[in-house]
Amino acid sequence: MTQPTSPGTLYIVATPIGNLEDITYRALKVLAAVDLIAAEDTRKTRILLDHYGISKPMLSYFSYNEKQRTPQLVRLLSNGKSIALVSDAGTPGISDPAHTVVIAALEHGIPVIPIPGPSAFISALIISGLPTNSFVFEGFLPVKKGRATKLAALKEETRTVILYESPHRIVKTLGQILEVFGDRQVAIARELTKKFEEIVRGPLSSVVKEIGSKPTRGEYVLLIAGRGTERLV
Ligand code: SAM
């Protein structure tokens, strides 16, 4: 009689948000040891793996295929294979795919282990000058439907509000926030850990002017002082 195979482990591995050196020893050990890496963009992950001399079979796992891909990953895990899940940048599951396979693995009694590391919003928060003791991370605002409702609700928030935004929408979004929130204190962190890392802090009215005065490029985190927070610390 064949013995039942004990399941492999699903590792959720954080990778750099720009600077390739921002990866933990443990993350590298796990990436080198697993049977397979499920990556949001295999080409991007290949750059990281090549940098550290790691060669490993990879499979894509991104927002448009995660539902189809999940049963396959669960099958492999159930058959004893260990898998590391990585996203393009930062921590999987934070405005990035991971949740579907995590839920499925838990439902099948498969161990799920986090390998912590960078996330853009934490890096931005800790240098923002805004209160860090209590904050709310909202990821990307809805692009169309629900945007106005979300902004109106966030206006009442007393904790530091953290948002992600793309370069082609950042100026418009800042303008909308100014309209709804009034002239709050904000911090905009751009290209963290990269060559053109920059942080702009101050009242929203002047920050909109500064950000809008030059071409917007790269990746942005937007932090807004909670209601009742009068100034940067
Ligand atoms: N999983 C990632 C994390 O843990 O931060 C977030 C992925 S989300 C698809 C991408 C967004 O994160 C970007 O549009 C930007 O708002 C933010 N982001 C990622 N890297 C960044 C960086 N180096 N500097 C500033 N913002 C960044």
Side-chain angles (χ1 to χ4, degrees):
M1 208 172 87
T2 48
Q3 294 294 315
T5 321
S6 51
T9 299
L10 174 63
Y11 296 93
I12 309 297
V13 182
T15 58
I17 57 167
N19 189 322
L20 290 185
E21 294 185 1
D22 291 331
I23 187 151
T24 67
Y25 287 121
R26 189 161 168 240
L28 292 175
K29 269 164 75 177
V30 166
L31 291 173
V34 288
D35 295 301
L36 178 79
I37 297 174
E40 188 181 9
D41 181 339
T42 52
R43 285 163 309 175
K44 278 205 179 149
T45 300
R46 181 85 58 205
I47 296 169
L48 177 72
L49 297 181
D50 285 350
H51 187 79
Y52 288 103
I54 297 171
S55 166
K56 204 47 70 174
M58 275 198 274
L59 240 163
S60 68
Y61 178 90
F62 50 88
S63 48
Y64 295 105
N65 80 352
E66 62 180 333
K67 284 217 166 59
Q68 300 93 292
R69 194 61 102 190
T70 291
Q72 184 185 0
L73 295 179
V74 168
R75 240 184 341 267
L76 288 164
L77 289 158
S78 301
N79 287 332
K81 300 286 183 212
S82 56
I83 299 179
L85 178 76
V86 300
S87 61
D88 276 7
T91 302
I94 302 298
S95 296
D96 265 344
H99 191 62
T100 306
V101 70
V102 168
I103 294 287
L106 295 176
E107 280 170 1
H108 286 79
I110 293 161
V112 183
I113 292 187
I115 307 295
S119 195
F121 82 90
I122 294 285
S123 304
L125 176 66
I126 58 176
I127 56 153
S128 67
L130 293 168
T132 57
N133 57 331
S134 190
F135 59 88
V136 54
F137 170 66
E138 285 284 337
F140 291 96
L141 286 171
V143 175
K144 287 194 183 109
K145 202 164 165 269
R147 192 173 172 92
T149 316
K150 174 60 83 181
L151 283 175
L154 289 177
K155 180 191 175 189
E156 304 307 322
E157 181 55 65
T158 54
R159 297 170 289 181
T160 300
V161 175
I162 312 173
L163 299 169
Y164 282 165
E165 193 48 286
S166 69
H168 61 275
R169 261 196 295 268
I170 185 78
V171 176
K172 188 173 166 211
T173 297
L174 289 173
Q176 290 172 332
I177 293 172
L178 179 59
E179 258 175 45
V180 177
F181 287 56
D183 206 6
R184 289 273 178 96
Q185 293 291 332
V186 295
I188 312 296
R190 184 174 87 90
E191 293 288 84
L192 292 167
T193 79
K194 303 186 202 178
K195 187 172 175 193
F196 297 106
E197 178 176 280
E198 177 183 31
I199 181 140
V200 181
R201 304 177 182 86
L204 191 44
S205 56
S206 66
V207 169
V208 181
K209 276 193 204 122
E210 185 170 344
I211 302 276
S213 69
K214 48 193 181 201
T216 51
R217 287 201 193 98
E219 307 201 84
Y220 292 83
V221 184
L222 212 165
L223 304 101
I224 311 160
R227 185 168 55 81
T229 305
E230 301 307 329
R231 57 184 181 80
L232 294 181
V233 208

